[in-house]
Amino acid sequence: MSERKLVVASIIGALGISSAAVAGDSPFGYIYTTDTHPKGKWELEQWVTQRYRQSTGDYTAWQYRTELEYGVTDALQTSLYLNYNSVNAFHNKPDGTTGPGAFVPDAVDPDARYKRTFFESVSNEWIWRVLSPYKDPLGLALYIEPSYGSQKRELEGKIILQKNFLDDQLVTAVNLTAALEREKFHGEWEKESEAELTAGVAYQFAPRWHAGLEYRHHRGYAGYGFGDSKREYSANFFGPSVHYADRRWWVTASFQMQLRNARGYTDEAREDIIGGRFYGEHHERQEFRVRVGIPF
Amino acid sequence: MNRWPALVAAPFAVVAPAAYGTVYLSVEQAQHAIFPGAGFTASPLSLNAEQRNAIQQRADVKVQSQELKAWKVSDGGWFFVDQVLGKHELITYAVGINANGSVRGIEILEYLEAYGYQIRDAAWRNQFAGKAATDRLKLDQDIRNISGATLSCRHVTDGVKRLLATYEIALRQR
């Protein structure tokens, strides 16, 4: 069986014997809601994110996350992730060379195409729902996720807020995210911090279907800490999402375009801003994400 | 050869969960479960704009459809079949209302989601018996929630509240 047929057969096979509708799915690709998986229930998810185009040349990165999710209690959910990536870059740097950064190592032939697929890290996510948007005036959940890999380690935390309207047909959510990272670059461990504000609205326009919009404001800092003196860059993303779920499975597709209002606070960061968009530190022109979940 | 696409899809091939989603009762079965031995006359209801606004205001719940499946019961009560939205699918349920405007009982006819089916439990449904349009009908107050089924509990509770208001505004005088 060819590789393509194996992929299709696996997905069809899984969907054909798959289970009932979900509790912890989100109508957004990038934003978490306060819904958690019921106690004792499992879910398998696959995330695929395509990060596409830098300022010049060819650049495509694929980020994959395979997630196993479990409801510890009705309000506490944990997940284990396997994170792996692939990159295909050619003359992607502003000076027209194939250059380091964004999964491309230092010792790369500046005139050659670089391709690589590699395992990055494992992550363990915990989400605790404090307030429910279905009973309380506002939904509130707390999130923490450590990640560990040979080249990258991270500790990420989120505050997740959700408010529904129109008998829960209109879902609005806001995430406040802070992350401390250590990434091996130029042979040395480099510390950096990231902060992100994401906000979205999704409307259930028919049973099983949501359509929405997502916005992301992303900031990067040198070292650990979020003070103005450490600030390096900020970038903004915006785009639509669509979500389908029935009793057997769910899928969310989300497209994000980087807006032309990035800001650089260091000389290095300013050099990576072309046409108003920031192309350093794993930032591309656009992203497309698909998440598929099957509960069991 | 790039094996990563196959590895991405492979985990899904080993997942073999059970199927959920069931029709539990027919309309006739629900009628006789709530009003045993009674006769039923189909009397579908079509709400006008004024009634719709009054119901929404009284129940503080949106009226999604102006058409309502209703039956007049031989003992003076009324029997309704209605739908509310669960997380992704519609929940079909029935409510019997006594001639004095209080709830006789509720039944879940069809539930298509995997989670939250505990709302079929008699102990949860029996909470509505005797409730009237003047009652609060609010989760964690006079209606006990089911952890892990909050959304279904909330929407069915809102549906019962709406139907009680519908009876008071559109049917009590008939």
Side-chain angles (χ1 to χ4, degrees):
Chain A
M1 184 183 283
S2 68
E3 288 285 346
R4 180 185 293 272
K5 286 181 181 175
L6 177 61
V7 168
V8 173
S10 297
I11 293 174
I12 290 175
L15 293 175
I17 57 173
S18 65
S19 172
V22 300
D25 61 308
S26 168
F28 305 109
Y30 290 82
I31 301 170
Y32 281 74
T33 64
T34 57
D35 288 350
T36 53
H37 234 56
K39 181 180 178 181
K41 302 297 182 183
W42 297 85
E43 184 173 271
L44 186 63
E45 286 187 33
Q46 182 64 45
W47 304 40
V48 179
T49 305
Q50 183 200 39
R51 306 172 74 141
Y52 180 61
R53 282 190 66 180
Q54 292 191 328
S55 60
T56 186
D58 293 341
Y59 182 88
T60 302
W62 293 87
Q63 291 185 290
Y64 306 95
R65 307 191 81 190
T66 301
E67 177 191 356
L68 186 61
E69 197 171 277
Y70 178 69
V72 180
T73 72
D74 288 327
L76 180 66
Q77 170 182 298
T78 187
S79 298
L80 189 65
Y81 289 85
L82 302 176
N83 306 313
Y84 38 107
N85 310 312
S86 68
V87 62
N88 185 330
F90 180 65
H91 289 173
N92 57 295
K93 298 300 288 183
D95 62 4
T97 61
T98 302
F103 306 143
V104 182
D106 286 343
V108 62
D109 183 342
D111 288 318
R113 181 173 293 276
Y114 178 79
K115 294 166 72 172
R116 181 187 175 211
T117 299
F118 63 99
F119 181 80
E120 181 186 272
S121 61
V122 293
S123 304
N124 179 212
E125 173 190 279
W126 292 85
I127 301 176
W128 173 39
R129 187 184 64 241
V130 179
L131 298 173
S132 168
Y134 311 119
K135 290 192 306 174
D136 303 303
L138 189 68
L140 168 67
L142 303 177
Y143 162 120
I144 191 161
E145 180 187 78
S147 298
Y148 185 89
S150 62
Q151 305 289 314
K152 182 178 178 180
R153 286 146 205 190
E154 180 180 271
L155 181 64
E156 183 179 84
K158 290 186 197 287
I159 296 174
I160 301 167
L161 302 169
Q162 181 180 346
K163 177 80 176 170
N164 293 353
F165 303 89
L166 303 179
D167 293 341
D168 300 311
Q169 282 184 265
L170 187 69
V171 178
T172 65
V174 171
N175 297 171
L176 302 169
T177 305
L180 305 177
E181 298 177 5
R182 291 175 63 203
E183 193 166 359
K184 220 166 196 180
F185 198 62
H186 305 302
E188 302 283 330
W189 284 102
E190 291 191 2
K191 295 179 183 178
E192 54 190 34
S193 305
E194 293 182 2
E196 190 169 82
L197 166 72
T198 48
V201 57
Y203 178 66
Q204 188 169 21
F205 60 91
R208 308 178 186 177
W209 288 95
H210 282 82
L213 295 169
E214 297 182 76
Y215 166 73
R216 289 190 294 146
H217 174 73
H218 192 224
R219 293 185 179 185
Y221 300 81
Y224 287 165
F226 301 96
D228 286 348
S229 62
K230 293 177 180 287
R231 197 193 282 192
E232 291 189 314
Y233 64 85
S234 69
N236 298 277
F237 294 81
F238 182 75
S241 64
V242 64
H243 173 73
Y244 172 85
D246 69 17
R247 55 189 161 188
R248 299 170 302 166
W249 70 300
W250 60 268
V251 59
T252 302
S254 182
F255 176 77
Q256 292 269 286
M257 175 71 82
Q258 187 182 159
L259 304 180
R260 292 177 182 268
N261 59 358
R263 298 185 73 174
Y265 301 92
T266 64
D267 291 338
E268 186 178 348
R270 280 186 280 268
E271 286 176 7
D272 284 331
I273 295 177
I274 311 292
R277 295 188 175 103
F278 179 65
Y279 291 104
E281 301 291 342
H282 301 293
H283 285 72
E284 288 74 39
R285 185 186 177 102
Q286 56 208 38
E287 296 185 18
F288 180 68
R289 174 172 290 176
V290 175
R291 293 171 56 191
V292 178
I294 297 177
F296 60 98
Chain B
M1 179 182 292
N2 186 358
R3 297 185 187 280
W4 283 103
L7 289 174
V8 166
F12 292 88
V14 302
V15 171
Y20 289 92
T22 307
V23 177
Y24 294 104
L25 291 173
S26 66
V27 171
E28 292 70 29
Q29 288 172 325
Q31 286 174 333
H32 293 293
I34 296 175
F35 293 99
F40 299 86
T41 304
S43 300
L45 196 59
S46 187
L47 301 169
N48 59 37
E50 187 182 344
Q51 289 171 324
R52 185 175 180 170
N53 291 337
I55 292 165
Q56 287 182 161
Q57 196 165 11
R58 179 154 188 175
D60 194 23
V61 177
K62 192 177 174 190
V63 175
Q64 300 280 3
S65 172
Q66 290 177 249
E67 308 300 322
L68 193 55
K69 294 179 184 174
W71 288 257
K72 177 87 175 171
V73 188
S74 55
D75 70 356
W78 281 83
F79 176 87
F80 301 96
V81 173
D82 189 35
Q83 289 183 315
V84 291
L85 197 58
K87 178 107 187 227
H88 303 290
E89 307 274 10
L90 293 172
I91 303 169
T92 305
Y93 69 109
V95 178
I97 296 181
N98 293 312
N100 66 1
S102 66
V103 174
R104 177 75 169 255
I106 76 168
E107 290 286 348
I108 306 299
L109 273 60
E110 186 175 39
Y111 192 83
L112 299 175
E113 313 264 10
Y115 306 122
Y117 45 81
Q118 299 94 325
I119 60 169
R120 286 197 63 242
D121 293 348
W124 189 78
R125 290 185 291 109
N126 288 343
Q127 296 182 95
F128 293 91
K131 293 294 185 188
T134 51
D135 288 307
R136 193 102 199 253
L137 284 167
K138 197 167 174 64
L139 287 186
D140 285 349
Q141 294 190 21
D142 59 338
I143 299 294
R144 177 179 49 82
N145 183 39
I146 301 172
S147 181
T150 303
L151 187 60
S152 297
C153 290
R154 154 95 180 257
H155 288 178
V156 169
T157 300
D158 284 348
V160 175
K161 197 172 175 183
R162 174 170 41 78
L163 290 173
L164 283 167
T166 302
Y167 174 82
E168 293 295 326
I169 288 164
L171 293 173
R172 187 180 262 283
Q173 303 306 321
R174 285 196 188 183

mmCIF file of all heavy atoms in Angstrom, chain A residues 32 43-47 65-70 77-82 125 250 291, chain B residues 12:
data_model
loop_
_atom_site.group_PDB
_atom_site.id
_atom_site.type_symbol
_atom_site.label_atom_id
_atom_site.label_comp_id
_atom_site.label_asym_id
_atom_site.label_seq_id
_atom_site.Cartn_x
_atom_site.Cartn_y
_atom_site.Cartn_z
ATOM 1 N N TYR A 32 -7.977 28.386 23.456
ATOM 2 C CA TYR A 32 -8.601 27.397 24.312
ATOM 3 C C TYR A 32 -9.911 27.950 24.892
ATOM 4 O O TYR A 32 -10.022 29.138 25.183
ATOM 5 C CB TYR A 32 -7.669 27.046 25.471
ATOM 6 C CG TYR A 32 -6.564 26.079 25.111
ATOM 7 C CD1 TYR A 32 -5.474 26.503 24.351
ATOM 8 C CD2 TYR A 32 -6.593 24.769 25.554
ATOM 9 C CE1 TYR A 32 -4.451 25.617 24.037
ATOM 10 C CE2 TYR A 32 -5.577 23.886 25.244
ATOM 11 C CZ TYR A 32 -4.512 24.308 24.489
ATOM 12 O OH TYR A 32 -3.499 23.434 24.174
ATOM 13 N N GLU A 43 -9.426 11.113 24.707
ATOM 14 C CA GLU A 43 -9.547 11.638 23.354
ATOM 15 C C GLU A 43 -8.170 11.647 22.704
ATOM 16 O O GLU A 43 -7.166 11.965 23.348
ATOM 17 C CB GLU A 43 -10.119 13.062 23.358
ATOM 18 C CG GLU A 43 -10.367 13.627 21.957
ATOM 19 C CD GLU A 43 -11.096 14.958 22.014
ATOM 20 O OE1 GLU A 43 -12.336 14.962 22.014
ATOM 21 O OE2 GLU A 43 -10.401 15.996 22.062
ATOM 22 N N LEU A 44 -8.146 11.291 21.434
ATOM 23 C CA LEU A 44 -6.909 11.357 20.657
ATOM 24 C C LEU A 44 -7.050 12.514 19.677
ATOM 25 O O LEU A 44 -8.065 12.635 18.990
ATOM 26 C CB LEU A 44 -6.706 10.045 19.896
ATOM 27 C CG LEU A 44 -5.394 9.874 19.136
ATOM 28 C CD1 LEU A 44 -4.214 9.879 20.088
ATOM 29 C CD2 LEU A 44 -5.423 8.571 18.339
ATOM 30 N N GLU A 45 -6.066 13.380 19.662
ATOM 31 C CA GLU A 45 -6.096 14.526 18.764
ATOM 32 C C GLU A 45 -4.829 14.574 17.926
ATOM 33 O O GLU A 45 -3.748 14.203 18.390
ATOM 34 C CB GLU A 45 -6.181 15.843 19.549
ATOM 35 C CG GLU A 45 -7.522 16.130 20.161
ATOM 36 C CD GLU A 45 -7.570 17.536 20.768
ATOM 37 O OE1 GLU A 45 -6.910 18.452 20.236
ATOM 38 O OE2 GLU A 45 -8.304 17.694 21.772
ATOM 39 N N GLN A 46 -4.972 15.091 16.737
ATOM 40 C CA GLN A 46 -3.811 15.350 15.891
ATOM 41 C C GLN A 46 -3.878 16.797 15.440
ATOM 42 O O GLN A 46 -4.890 17.246 14.903
ATOM 43 C CB GLN A 46 -3.762 14.434 14.671
ATOM 44 C CG GLN A 46 -2.545 14.642 13.798
ATOM 45 C CD GLN A 46 -1.251 14.309 14.524
ATOM 46 O OE1 GLN A 46 -1.135 13.291 15.196
ATOM 47 N NE2 GLN A 46 -0.276 15.190 14.398
ATOM 48 N N TRP A 47 -2.784 17.520 15.687
ATOM 49 C CA TRP A 47 -2.663 18.893 15.247
ATOM 50 C C TRP A 47 -1.646 18.921 14.098
ATOM 51 O O TRP A 47 -0.582 18.312 14.198
ATOM 52 C CB TRP A 47 -2.103 19.791 16.339
ATOM 53 C CG TRP A 47 -2.803 19.832 17.646
ATOM 54 C CD1 TRP A 47 -3.371 18.806 18.339
ATOM 55 C CD2 TRP A 47 -2.959 20.999 18.448
ATOM 56 N NE1 TRP A 47 -3.869 19.255 19.530
ATOM 57 C CE2 TRP A 47 -3.622 20.603 19.624
ATOM 58 C CE3 TRP A 47 -2.588 22.330 18.300
ATOM 59 C CZ2 TRP A 47 -3.945 21.510 20.631
ATOM 60 C CZ3 TRP A 47 -2.901 23.223 19.311
ATOM 61 C CH2 TRP A 47 -3.577 22.803 20.457
ATOM 62 N N ARG A 65 1.523 17.792 16.259
ATOM 63 C CA ARG A 65 1.365 17.443 17.667
ATOM 64 C C ARG A 65 0.356 16.302 17.743
ATOM 65 O O ARG A 65 -0.778 16.438 17.257
ATOM 66 C CB ARG A 65 0.848 18.612 18.507
ATOM 67 C CG ARG A 65 1.629 19.908 18.389
ATOM 68 C CD ARG A 65 1.201 20.888 19.461
ATOM 69 N NE ARG A 65 1.846 20.592 20.740
ATOM 70 C CZ ARG A 65 1.510 21.178 21.884
ATOM 71 N NH1 ARG A 65 0.551 22.074 21.924
ATOM 72 N NH2 ARG A 65 2.149 20.873 23.001
ATOM 73 N N THR A 66 0.785 15.189 18.300
ATOM 74 C CA THR A 66 -0.134 14.093 18.561
ATOM 75 C C THR A 66 -0.453 14.125 20.046
ATOM 76 O O THR A 66 0.446 14.073 20.876
ATOM 77 C CB THR A 66 0.490 12.747 18.168
ATOM 78 O OG1 THR A 66 0.827 12.783 16.773
ATOM 79 C CG2 THR A 66 -0.488 11.608 18.416
ATOM 80 N N GLU A 67 -1.733 14.234 20.357
ATOM 81 C CA GLU A 67 -2.156 14.474 21.736
ATOM 82 C C GLU A 67 -3.070 13.370 22.234
ATOM 83 O O GLU A 67 -4.010 12.962 21.531
ATOM 84 C CB GLU A 67 -2.907 15.816 21.821
ATOM 85 C CG GLU A 67 -3.449 16.137 23.204
ATOM 86 C CD GLU A 67 -4.406 17.328 23.220
ATOM 87 O OE1 GLU A 67 -4.591 17.960 22.152
ATOM 88 O OE2 GLU A 67 -4.974 17.611 24.285
ATOM 89 N N LEU A 68 -2.821 12.905 23.445
ATOM 90 C CA LEU A 68 -3.722 11.991 24.141
ATOM 91 C C LEU A 68 -4.265 12.728 25.351
ATOM 92 O O LEU A 68 -3.502 13.155 26.213
ATOM 93 C CB LEU A 68 -2.985 10.724 24.571
ATOM 94 C CG LEU A 68 -3.838 9.608 25.185
ATOM 95 C CD1 LEU A 68 -4.869 9.113 24.185
ATOM 96 C CD2 LEU A 68 -2.956 8.458 25.658
ATOM 97 N N GLU A 69 -5.569 12.890 25.403
ATOM 98 C CA GLU A 69 -6.220 13.719 26.404
ATOM 99 C C GLU A 69 -7.066 12.846 27.332
ATOM 100 O O GLU A 69 -7.696 11.878 26.876
ATOM 101 C CB GLU A 69 -7.125 14.710 25.647
ATOM 102 C CG GLU A 69 -7.599 15.905 26.389
ATOM 103 C CD GLU A 69 -8.296 16.881 25.431
ATOM 104 O OE1 GLU A 69 -7.599 17.668 24.765
ATOM 105 O OE2 GLU A 69 -9.536 16.836 25.351
ATOM 106 N N TYR A 70 -7.119 13.205 28.617
ATOM 107 C CA TYR A 70 -7.856 12.385 29.596
ATOM 108 C C TYR A 70 -8.524 13.280 30.623
ATOM 109 O O TYR A 70 -7.909 14.233 31.116
ATOM 110 C CB TYR A 70 -6.899 11.418 30.290
ATOM 111 C CG TYR A 70 -7.532 10.565 31.353
ATOM 112 C CD1 TYR A 70 -8.441 9.558 31.012
ATOM 113 C CD2 TYR A 70 -7.244 10.770 32.707
ATOM 114 C CE1 TYR A 70 -9.038 8.777 31.984
ATOM 115 C CE2 TYR A 70 -7.841 9.982 33.682
ATOM 116 C CZ TYR A 70 -8.734 8.980 33.314
ATOM 117 O OH TYR A 70 -9.330 8.214 34.274
ATOM 118 N N GLN A 77 -8.358 18.261 33.419
ATOM 119 C CA GLN A 77 -8.000 17.490 32.226
ATOM 120 C C GLN A 77 -6.492 17.500 32.062
ATOM 121 O O GLN A 77 -5.843 18.511 32.330
ATOM 122 C CB GLN A 77 -8.652 18.170 31.018
ATOM 123 C CG GLN A 77 -8.219 17.684 29.644
ATOM 124 C CD GLN A 77 -8.918 18.487 28.570
ATOM 125 O OE1 GLN A 77 -10.147 18.477 28.451
ATOM 126 N NE2 GLN A 77 -8.137 19.196 27.766
ATOM 127 N N THR A 78 -5.932 16.381 31.636
ATOM 128 C CA THR A 78 -4.508 16.331 31.362
ATOM 129 C C THR A 78 -4.278 15.762 29.964
ATOM 130 O O THR A 78 -5.103 15.003 29.438
ATOM 131 C CB THR A 78 -3.751 15.496 32.416
ATOM 132 O OG1 THR A 78 -2.347 15.630 32.187
ATOM 133 C CG2 THR A 78 -4.113 14.015 32.334
ATOM 134 N N SER A 79 -3.176 16.169 29.354
ATOM 135 C CA SER A 79 -2.840 15.693 28.013
ATOM 136 C C SER A 79 -1.354 15.427 27.921
ATOM 137 O O SER A 79 -0.543 16.111 28.560
ATOM 138 C CB SER A 79 -3.197 16.745 26.954
ATOM 139 O OG SER A 79 -4.567 17.015 26.934
ATOM 140 N N LEU A 80 -1.018 14.468 27.083
ATOM 141 C CA LEU A 80 0.373 14.195 26.750
ATOM 142 C C LEU A 80 0.525 14.437 25.252
ATOM 143 O O LEU A 80 -0.282 13.951 24.452
ATOM 144 C CB LEU A 80 0.734 12.752 27.083
ATOM 145 C CG LEU A 80 2.202 12.388 26.984
ATOM 146 C CD1 LEU A 80 3.011 13.148 28.032
ATOM 147 C CD2 LEU A 80 2.388 10.881 27.176
ATOM 148 N N TYR A 81 1.556 15.222 24.901
ATOM 149 C CA TYR A 81 1.785 15.554 23.505
ATOM 150 C C TYR A 81 3.133 15.011 23.041
ATOM 151 O O TYR A 81 4.126 15.064 23.783
ATOM 152 C CB TYR A 81 1.873 17.074 23.310
ATOM 153 C CG TYR A 81 0.594 17.847 23.448
ATOM 154 C CD1 TYR A 81 0.146 18.260 24.702
ATOM 155 C CD2 TYR A 81 -0.136 18.236 22.330
ATOM 156 C CE1 TYR A 81 -1.013 19.014 24.824
ATOM 157 C CE2 TYR A 81 -1.285 19.003 22.450
ATOM 158 C CZ TYR A 81 -1.714 19.384 23.699
ATOM 159 O OH TYR A 81 -2.848 20.149 23.815
ATOM 160 N N LEU A 82 3.160 14.558 21.809
ATOM 161 C CA LEU A 82 4.417 14.337 21.102
ATOM 162 C C LEU A 82 4.507 15.433 20.041
ATOM 163 O O LEU A 82 3.582 15.582 19.226
ATOM 164 C CB LEU A 82 4.436 12.955 20.431
ATOM 165 C CG LEU A 82 4.233 11.755 21.364
ATOM 166 C CD1 LEU A 82 4.187 10.461 20.554
ATOM 167 C CD2 LEU A 82 5.340 11.690 22.407
ATOM 168 N N GLU A 125 0.219 18.685 29.486
ATOM 169 C CA GLU A 125 -0.682 19.824 29.702
ATOM 170 C C GLU A 125 -1.701 19.496 30.793
ATOM 171 O O GLU A 125 -2.212 18.374 30.855
ATOM 172 C CB GLU A 125 -1.405 20.110 28.381
ATOM 173 C CG GLU A 125 -2.497 21.145 28.405
ATOM 174 C CD GLU A 125 -3.275 21.124 27.098
ATOM 175 O OE1 GLU A 125 -2.809 21.702 26.106
ATOM 176 O OE2 GLU A 125 -4.372 20.507 27.083
ATOM 177 N N TRP A 250 -14.420 15.299 15.590
ATOM 178 C CA TRP A 250 -14.523 16.727 15.322
ATOM 179 C C TRP A 250 -13.278 17.186 14.574
ATOM 180 O O TRP A 250 -12.225 16.526 14.611
ATOM 181 C CB TRP A 250 -14.697 17.524 16.606
ATOM 182 C CG TRP A 250 -13.586 17.398 17.599
ATOM 183 C CD1 TRP A 250 -13.508 16.501 18.630
ATOM 184 C CD2 TRP A 250 -12.382 18.192 17.662
ATOM 185 N NE1 TRP A 250 -12.345 16.692 19.328
ATOM 186 C CE2 TRP A 250 -11.635 17.715 18.762
ATOM 187 C CE3 TRP A 250 -11.880 19.248 16.918
ATOM 188 C CZ2 TRP A 250 -10.406 18.270 19.121
ATOM 189 C CZ3 TRP A 250 -10.652 19.799 17.281
ATOM 190 C CH2 TRP A 250 -9.939 19.303 18.371
ATOM 191 N N ARG A 291 -6.941 20.667 13.275
ATOM 192 C CA ARG A 291 -6.956 19.785 14.444
ATOM 193 C C ARG A 291 -8.087 18.797 14.259
ATOM 194 O O ARG A 291 -9.205 19.179 13.887
ATOM 195 C CB ARG A 291 -7.193 20.577 15.729
ATOM 196 C CG ARG A 291 -6.056 21.525 16.094
ATOM 197 C CD ARG A 291 -6.444 22.425 17.225
ATOM 198 N NE ARG A 291 -6.872 21.693 18.399
ATOM 199 C CZ ARG A 291 -7.472 22.257 19.459
ATOM 200 N NH1 ARG A 291 -7.722 23.541 19.459
ATOM 201 N NH2 ARG A 291 -7.824 21.534 20.486
ATOM 202 N N PHE B 12 -4.731 7.089 14.783
ATOM 203 C CA PHE B 12 -6.177 7.037 14.655
ATOM 204 C C PHE B 12 -6.652 5.661 14.226
ATOM 205 O O PHE B 12 -7.803 5.299 14.461
ATOM 206 C CB PHE B 12 -6.649 8.096 13.654
ATOM 207 C CG PHE B 12 -6.448 9.479 14.169
ATOM 208 C CD1 PHE B 12 -5.252 10.134 13.959
ATOM 209 C CD2 PHE B 12 -7.439 10.124 14.895
ATOM 210 C CE1 PHE B 12 -5.036 11.416 14.461
ATOM 211 C CE2 PHE B 12 -7.233 11.406 15.387
ATOM 212 C CZ PHE B 12 -6.028 12.042 15.161
#
